[in-house]
Amino acid sequence: MATFKLTDEIIEQIEMFIEEKRNRELISLFEEMHYADIAEIINELDVDQAIYIIRLIGKDKTADIITELDEEFRDKIFEKLSAKEIADELIELDTDDAADIISDLPEERKTEIISYIEDVEHAKDIVDLLRYDEDTAGGLMAKELVKVNENWNVLKCVKEMREQAEFVKRVHSIYVVDDNDVLKGRLSLKDLLTTSTRSNVKDIYIPKVDYVYVTDSAEDVAHIMSKYDLEAIPVVDEMKRLVGRITIDDVVDVIKEEAEKDYQLAAGITHDVEADDSIWKLTKARLPWLLIGMFGGLGAASIINGFQDAMNNFPILLIFIPLIQATAGNVGVQSSAIIVQGLANNSIDSQLWGRLLKEFMLGLINGLAIAAIVILVSHFLFEADYMVSTTVAVALVTVIVNAAIIGTFIPIFLHKRGIDPAVATGPFITTSNDVLGILIYFSIAKIVLGF
Amino acid sequence: MATFKLTDEIIEQIEMFIEEKRNRELISLFEEMHYADIAEIINELDVDQAIYIIRLIGKDKTADIITELDEEFRDKIFEKLSAKEIADELIELDTDDAADIISDLPEERKTEIISYIEDVEHAKDIVDLLRYDEDTAGGLMAKELVKVNENWNVLKCVKEMREQAEFVKRVHSIYVVDDNDVLKGRLSLKDLLTTSTRSNVKDIYIPKVDYVYVTDSAEDVAHIMSKYDLEAIPVVDEMKRLVGRITIDDVVDVIKEEAEKDYQLAAGITHDVEADDSIWKLTKARLPWLLIGMFGGLGAASIINGFQDAMNNFPILLIFIPLIQATAGNVGVQSSAIIVQGLANNSIDSQLWGRLLKEFMLGLINGLAIAAIVILVSHFLFEADYMVSTTVAVALVTVIVNAAIIGTFIPIFLHKRGIDPAVATGPFITTSNDVLGILIYFSIAKIVLGF
C-alpha cells in the first residue's frame, strides 16, 4: 500500500484552495483520503482553516478526523465551534472517543454540548464514561458491545445481536450475562456460525473469560491484553456487572505512550512533550532536569574545591575528571535502563541480592577492561607517573562498580515503594553518579597518593 | 481479574513436584493456568525440568507455551527434543508461530522436523514463511485467513468460510479475491450477518482495502496498522496476489520491541538484552558503548592537558569541568530524544532550519537561566572573581546552545541518510557533547581571561 506522506506542497495547495474557496476541489481531494491522513493535514493548518474544512466535509468523516487531531489544537477548534456542532460530531462517534474528546472542556460547556444529543442512551453512556479517570480501564472502555442473556436461545441471540450490532463497529466477542447483568462468560462468533439455532446460550457459552475492573490502571490493562494476546476485554464494576469493553487498538496507544514516557524520563524530559510544542512548553519540560544536573555539577565543584592539596600537588589528576564522570554516568544509565525495562515487562523477579551481585561482577569486568586501556594510554599519552595511573585505574573500577550497583538498586527500591522506577533513570541517576564518582576519585587519590 | 504473579514459592513447589514425579499435582496445577503464565514459570526452570513438563502436559497447550518461551531457552529445549516431538508441536500452531519457533534452527534440522508434518498444506505454508526475513511483513504474516472468490454468492461463501474457519482461530476480515488470487476487497462479518444469501459477492464487497506487500518492513506495517487502527491487514505479493494476513497482536510486539530498542540505544546498550541474560552477553552489549565514552574521556583529558596555562594560572576553572560536561550531556540527550521520538512517530516534517532555530532559542533560554544561577553560586560559594564567573557563564550558554543544535542536527541528518537516528542518542551524543563542551569551555576561558 502506498502510505500517505505529508508534504509542504499538499499543505500549500490546501491553503490556497481554502483561500480561494475552491470547495469542489477540496471535497474531491479529501474524498479518497483516510481520516487519519486528513487529521495530519489539519494539524498543520491554523484554527480558522481547520474549521473551514471541518464544516465543509460531511459529519460522518469529520467525527473520526477530530478524534485524531492533536489535543491542544482540537480544544482551540472547539472554542470556535458551537455546542450544537460539537454534539453533532459526538453522535457519530463511539462513546469512548466521544467522551475522550470533550473530557478536557469546562464542565458547563460539556453539559451544554451533551444537552444537544437527542439519543438519550448515547448521551447517558458518554456522561457515564466522563466519570472515569483517563488512566483507568473505565477511561479506556467503550459502552458499545454485544451482550446476550444466558437464558436466551441462539435464535433470540442472533436476533438481538443484529440489533445491537447496528451500534457496534467491530464485533469482537459476544458477552454472556445473567439477569442482573453480571458477566458469566462469552460466546465466540465462530461457535455461533456453527451451532444449531435451538441451542440455549446457557449450554454453549464459554465460562472462562478474562476481564478487568473499571478501576484497574490502563497500564495493567495493556499488560494483560498484550501478555494474553487479547483483542478485546470486557470491563466489570465492583459487583462484576458488565459495564464496557476495551479493544486492543486503544491499548496500542497506551503501550506506545508508556514506552515513550519511560524514554523521555530517561532522557530528562518530563513526559508528554513533542518536538512541535511551543518553546515555553519545551522549556518547562526540560529546564527542571537541567537544574538537577546543574546542582550536581556545582556539588562536584565543591568536592573538587575541597581537595585543594590534590589540585596543587597533582594537577594531572584533574584532566581525568571528564573520564571518571562520563564513565560513571554511562554505567549508571545502562544498569538502570535494563532494570527499568525489565520491571516494565514484569520479567524481573525481585531477587535483589542476586541481581546486585551480578551487577557487581559485570561492573568489575567492564571496569578492569577499561582501566587496563586507560593505564596504557595515560602512561604513553600523558606521561602520567605510575602512582597516578594506578589511582585513575583503581578509581575507574570502583566508580564503575558503584555506578552499576546504584543504577540497579535505586529502580528496584523505588519499584518496591510503589514509585515509577523510570524517574530514577536519566539526569537523576547520571547526576548522583557524577557527584559520587568525583568524590570516589579524589578520595582514592588521597589514599593512594597520600597528599 | 486477578493477574498471575510469579513467585519463588511457585517455582520451588513445581521443582519439588518434578523432583518427586508428582505428575497428578503438576497436571492439575497447570490445568487452570493460562499458557503465557506457564511459559513464565518454565523460563525459570532448567532445561530438563522444562522438558519434563512439556512432555507431561497435553500437546494442544504446550504448543502455545513454547511460542511464549524465551528464544534462547527454547532453542536449548529443542536440542533435547526429537524432530518428531517438535513437529507435533508445530502441527498445533498457526503457520506464523510455527515458522517463528523453528526459524533459528540449522537448515538440516528444519528439514527433518518438517518431514514429520503429515498435513502437506500446513508444511508447505511453514516452508513458505521460512523464506521471509523476520523484519518484514512476510516474516510477520500467517497463512491462515478466510478468503472468498468474487464470483461466488453469499450462500457458497458461508459454506466455504465454515470450512476455512476450522483452521483460523480468529476471523477478522473476509478477503475477496479474483480467479487469480489477486486481492480485490473485503467483506465485513457484520455485512454477512445482515445480507440475503442470494446476493453475489461481487455486488456487496467493499473494494477499498488496506494492504501491505510481503517485502514491506515490519516497522512500516506497525506504523500503518496503528495509525489506521487496523486489527488485521492482508499481505500481497508483487502481483497483488493474497499471500497472508497480519493481526494486530503480532504488531503490538513489534511496537514494543521498537520502543525498547530505541530506549536501550539511548541508554547505551546494543539492543536485545534483558536483565536475566548472562554476564558475558550483557558485557558484550554494554562494553562497546563504555569504550566510546572512555575514548571521549581521554580526548577531553588531552584537551585539558593542552591548556596547561589555564591549569597553572586559573586552577579554579577546573572545578567547573563536571558542571560544563554534565550540562552539555544532558542538553544533548534531551534534544536528540525529542527528535528521535518525533521521527519514529512520523510527527516531524523535515524543516531543518526552522527546527535548528527553535533549538537555538530553547538553548539560549535554558542557558541564560542556568548561567544566572551559576554566577551567583560561584560568586558566593567559591569566591570566584568576576572574570572567572563570566567565563563560566558564557561557556555554559555556548555549550548548551551547541549541544541543543548538535542533538537536533545529528538525528535528522542520520534519518535523511537512511540510518536509524536512535544510534545517535545516548553515549554517542553524550560523548561528542562532552568533548566539544570541554573544548568550548577552555577556548572561551582563553579568550576572556587571556592566558
Side-chain angles (χ1 to χ4, degrees), chain A residues 37 227 229 268 277 334 358, chain B residues 37 227 268 277 334 358:
Chain A
D37 297 327
K227 177 171 173 189
D229 277 349
D277 284 334
Q334 286 182 335
K358 188 171 178 183
Chain B
D37 297 326
K227 176 173 173 188
D277 284 334
Q334 285 182 336
K358 188 172 176 181

Side-chain angles (χ1 to χ4, degrees), chain A residues 226-420:
Chain A
S226 76
K227 177 171 173 189
Y228 298 128
D229 277 349
L230 305 174
E231 301 197 339
I233 196 164
V235 183
V236 299
D237 68 8
E238 291 77 358
M239 290 168 66
K240 236 196 125 180
R241 286 179 305 194
L242 182 62
V243 290
R245 64 105 181 80
I246 297 170
T247 51
I248 185 78
D249 53 313
D250 298 318
V251 162
V252 168
D253 294 337
V254 174
I255 291 172
K256 275 173 79 170
E257 278 164 25
E258 198 55 38
E260 286 180 2
K261 203 187 77 184
D262 283 0
Y263 180 34
Q264 293 206 336
L265 280 174
I269 305 165
T270 51
H271 64 99
D272 250 15
V273 290
E274 280 173 33
D276 283 327
D277 284 334
S278 68
I279 291 189
W280 170 234
K281 197 171 168 196
L282 284 167
T283 301
K284 266 205 309 191
R286 291 167 60 163
L287 190 55
W289 296 101
L290 292 182
L291 290 176
I292 292 179
M294 182 201 72
F295 284 112
L298 290 172
S302 307
I303 292 172
I304 303 174
N305 202 39
F307 285 92
Q308 284 292 343
D309 294 343
M311 291 175 70
N312 297 335
N313 301 332
F314 298 94
I316 195 172
L317 283 176
L318 297 169
I319 75 171
F320 294 107
I321 290 175
L323 174 65
I324 297 284
Q325 188 182 353
T327 311
N330 286 342
V331 171
V333 169
Q334 286 182 335
S335 302
S336 60
I338 288 193
I339 296 295
V340 167
Q341 218 160 52
L343 290 171
N345 290 335
N346 275 15
S347 68
I348 287 188
D349 41 28
S350 25
Q351 289 163 322
L352 184 58
W353 290 109
R355 207 158 285 285
L356 289 179
L357 184 68
K358 188 171 178 183
E359 277 297 320
F360 177 83
M361 292 303 298
L362 233 152
L364 206 60
I365 294 172
N366 284 338
L368 289 172
I370 286 178
I373 301 175
V374 167
I375 285 188
L376 286 177
V377 174
S378 65
H379 178 72
F380 288 108
L381 203 65
F382 305 118
E383 292 160 13
D385 80 29
Y386 176 67
M387 291 305 277
V388 169
S389 299
T390 309
T391 301
V392 176
V394 173
L396 268 175
V397 176
T398 316
V399 161
I400 289 175
V401 168
N402 177 64
I405 288 179
I406 289 183
T408 305
F409 178 75
I410 293 191
I412 294 182
F413 174 78
L414 291 180
H415 181 70
K416 285 201 171 169
R417 283 289 171 114
I419 302 169
D420 181 358

Side-chain angles (χ1 to χ4, degrees), chain B residues 8-21 26 29 41 44-46 49 53:
Chain B
D8 292 346
E9 287 73 46
I10 296 178
I11 303 291
E12 277 163 28
Q13 195 190 26
I14 285 167
E15 285 179 333
M16 189 193 71
F17 284 165
I18 295 173
E19 179 82 12
E20 299 174 4
K21 298 209 185 342
L26 282 171
L29 186 71
I41 292 173
E44 300 296 315
L45 302 176
D46 66 36
Q49 291 171 329
I53 287 175

Side-chain angles (χ1 to χ4, degrees), chain B residues 76-94:
Chain B
K76 277 186 204 150
I77 291 172
F78 277 6
E79 278 174 25
K80 296 207 177 182
L81 289 177
S82 73
K84 172 83 172 64
E85 280 175 308
I86 299 174
D88 285 344
E89 305 287 356
L90 298 191
I91 293 164
E92 297 292 330
L93 291 173
D94 275 355

